[in-house]
Amino acid sequence: MRKRALLLKLAQDMRASYWFIPAALVLVALALAHATEWIDRHTELLPFRLPDPFVNTQVDGARSTLSTISTAVIGVTGVMFSMTIVAVSFAAGNYGPRLIGNFMRDRGNQISLGILIATFAYALSILRAVQDPSEAAGVDAFVPQYSMLVAMLGCIIAVFTMIYFVHHVPETINVSNITASLGRRLEAEIVNIIEAEAALEERPEINYPDRPPDHQIMLGSAGYIQTLNYDLIEDLMREKDLQIRIEKLPGDFVTPFTPALTVWTEGGLSDEHYTELCEAYALGVSRTEHQNVLFLVDQLVEMLARALSPGVNDPFTAINCLNWMHNALKTAKHHGDGLGKDGAGKYVLGPRLTYDDLFKRSFLASQPYCETDHLAHGHYKSRVSDLNKGL
């Protein structure tokens, strides 16, 4: 797919958005309201009938119950949203603004908000269907009994969701949980890179011509590279007999005049191929961890630096960050064949992650901050000494 980079970026944006899952659940709730209302108007088609105590709600009682559910749920939703904003603001101020995406991507927060909003939308939709009898208009009283039961069930689910959310929010801003989440994702990504390298066939050696390139691909806009479609570039090299060198990788910042690719070709580069090469990139306003494993390392280093700042002075958080970086380097050395002497990568043309790069980006970047604190510096030296064993 030629626009795979853009689609991957959109998928990442939706993954980090706070609106997609709640909006989807609201649409599901509205569809469910329509379905249950239809069932209430055609109860003769049901193969069973509930006992009378479950389906004897009167018009006034139904309207009062649904009004109470919708009012209470939307009020609780406002409180939950405020709690989320406070948690995000606290995390951004204390741990670093680049960690906000971790909170926005949290499925627990997204689903909790979605359930409450969906319950409100469902109750409001069913409330509209309740009808008073009117002899003048020839309208009989109508109470959607089965829809009422579903609304009550949704209310109970919303109550347990609120309990879960009140428990979950403090966990999301717990510094140990934040560092552990970053450390585990870093470890998993290193494992994926090592296993992808092992699964690749022998890498072909690419010899670029010893002359200036025929074309330089510029993306025409400024921003951080968030996604790069390596498969598209490899396919074009193979199908169109092009020699392409990737100059800018995910995580790099480009301007409209920055060459992202250099191309050598014997038969010229058509406008269609130029456009396809540009579409291999997707830009954004910030760096992300997608296709950029070192961004996870940078977040741990940022947390360590903030923890050791004079205003915070929390050496134990810094030690925790060092532990997870130490775990990542141990994984890079001992999982499978490790990163190897020349590093490892997921793609033939993609970047190769080396042990030295990982060490420099993590421990060497942390060293100036650790030297300002006795506890952190002692732990730093012990972790570096352990990593140097056997080298």
Side-chain angles (χ1 to χ4, degrees), residues 321-351:
C321 293
L322 289 172
N323 288 337
W324 284 106
M325 289 188 285
H326 176 263
N327 175 68
L329 286 161
K330 282 289 190 178
T331 302
K333 184 185 294 185
H334 299 294
H335 179 80
D337 295 331
L339 292 180
K341 182 179 178 180
D342 298 324
K346 292 184 178 181
Y347 305 95
V348 173
L349 294 178

Side-chain angles (χ1 to χ4, degrees), residues 213-232:
D214 299 307
H215 302 276
Q216 290 186 319
I217 308 298
M218 303 178 190
L219 305 181
S221 59
Y224 287 94
I225 299 173
Q226 293 184 343
T227 306
L228 175 55
N229 189 347
Y230 294 99
D231 294 333
L232 170 61

Side-chain angles (χ1 to χ4, degrees), residues 183-314:
R184 289 193 180 102
R185 296 209 304 276
L186 176 60
E187 178 187 6
E189 188 61 26
I190 292 172
V191 169
N192 291 337
I193 290 174
I194 293 173
E195 293 179 351
E197 175 72 21
L200 283 176
E201 299 178 358
E202 184 178 353
R203 288 177 177 267
E205 185 177 352
I206 302 175
N207 296 315
Y208 296 104
D210 188 17
R211 59 183 175 84
D214 299 307
H215 302 276
Q216 290 186 319
I217 308 298
M218 303 178 190
L219 305 181
S221 59
Y224 287 94
I225 299 173
Q226 293 184 343
T227 306
L228 175 55
N229 189 347
Y230 294 99
D231 294 333
L232 170 61
I233 296 176
E234 292 176 13
D235 290 343
L236 288 175
M237 289 182 64
R238 184 170 51 254
E239 296 171 4
K240 308 301 179 183
D241 194 24
L242 304 176
Q243 291 289 331
I244 302 175
R245 184 171 64 204
I246 299 175
E247 305 291 352
K248 295 298 178 180
L249 299 166
D252 292 339
F253 184 85
V254 296
T255 71
F257 312 102
T258 303
L261 299 170
T262 53
V263 182
W264 290 267
T265 176
E266 299 297 335
L269 190 67
S270 66
D271 293 340
E272 179 184 359
H273 295 155
Y274 189 97
T275 302
E276 288 181 353
L277 288 173
C278 289
E279 290 176 348
Y281 285 90
L283 303 182
V285 297
S286 62
R287 297 165 61 207
T288 68
E289 62 193 67
H290 179 60
Q291 294 186 337
N292 183 18
V293 63
L294 292 178
F295 182 64
L296 290 168
V297 182
D298 292 342
Q299 291 183 82
L300 285 171
V301 173
E302 181 179 4
M303 286 190 65
L304 180 146
R306 285 177 173 267
L308 295 178
S309 64
V312 179
N313 192 24
D314 181 10

Side-chain angles (χ1 to χ4, degrees), residues 39-282:
I39 291 174
D40 278 307
R41 295 185 185 279
H42 302 84
T43 54
E44 69 278 1
L45 300 178
L46 292 175
F48 62 89
R49 179 176 176 81
L50 293 176
D52 289 340
F54 291 95
V55 291
N56 62 354
T57 307
Q58 303 303 310
V59 172
D60 291 339
R63 186 171 286 127
S64 177
T65 300
L66 291 171
S67 297
T68 301
I69 291 175
S70 58
T71 302
V73 167
I74 198 63
V76 171
T77 303
V79 174
M80 286 178 54
F81 183 75
S82 299
M83 290 175 63
T84 302
I85 297 301
V86 170
V88 169
S89 300
F90 176 81
N94 288 272
Y95 309 138
R98 274 152 293 281
L99 293 171
I100 291 179
N102 297 294
F103 296 92
M104 301 298 289
R105 280 191 294 268
D106 188 274
R107 290 297 193 201
N109 293 341
Q110 295 175 1
I111 294 174
S112 297
L113 180 64
I115 288 175
L116 290 179
I117 295 179
T119 302
F120 166 77
Y122 180 87
L124 203 62
S125 181
I126 297 303
L127 179 61
R128 175 196 57 82
V130 178
Q131 292 179 346
D132 286 315
S134 175
E135 294 182 2
V139 177
D140 296 329
F142 175 69
V143 178
Q145 304 287 355
Y146 291 93
S147 299
M148 282 284 300
L149 292 177
V150 175
M152 291 297 297
L153 177 62
C155 182
I156 294 172
I157 294 174
V159 169
F160 283 100
T161 299
M162 181 185 65
I163 295 172
Y164 161 78
F165 186 81
V166 171
H167 167 75
H168 182 67
V169 167
E171 281 194 328
T172 60
I173 61 176
N174 183 294
V175 66
S176 297
N177 291 336
I178 296 172
T179 53
S181 176
L182 291 171
R184 289 193 180 102
R185 296 209 304 276
L186 176 60
E187 178 187 6
E189 188 61 26
I190 292 172
V191 169
N192 291 337
I193 290 174
I194 293 173
E195 293 179 351
E197 175 72 21
L200 283 176
E201 299 178 358
E202 184 178 353
R203 288 177 177 267
E205 185 177 352
I206 302 175
N207 296 315
Y208 296 104
D210 188 17
R211 59 183 175 84
D214 299 307
H215 302 276
Q216 290 186 319
I217 308 298
M218 303 178 190
L219 305 181
S221 59
Y224 287 94
I225 299 173
Q226 293 184 343
T227 306
L228 175 55
N229 189 347
Y230 294 99
D231 294 333
L232 170 61
I233 296 176
E234 292 176 13
D235 290 343
L236 288 175
M237 289 182 64
R238 184 170 51 254
E239 296 171 4
K240 308 301 179 183
D241 194 24
L242 304 176
Q243 291 289 331
I244 302 175
R245 184 171 64 204
I246 299 175
E247 305 291 352
K248 295 298 178 180
L249 299 166
D252 292 339
F253 184 85
V254 296
T255 71
F257 312 102
T258 303
L261 299 170
T262 53
V263 182
W264 290 267
T265 176
E266 299 297 335
L269 190 67
S270 66
D271 293 340
E272 179 184 359
H273 295 155
Y274 189 97
T275 302
E276 288 181 353
L277 288 173
C278 289
E279 290 176 348
Y281 285 90

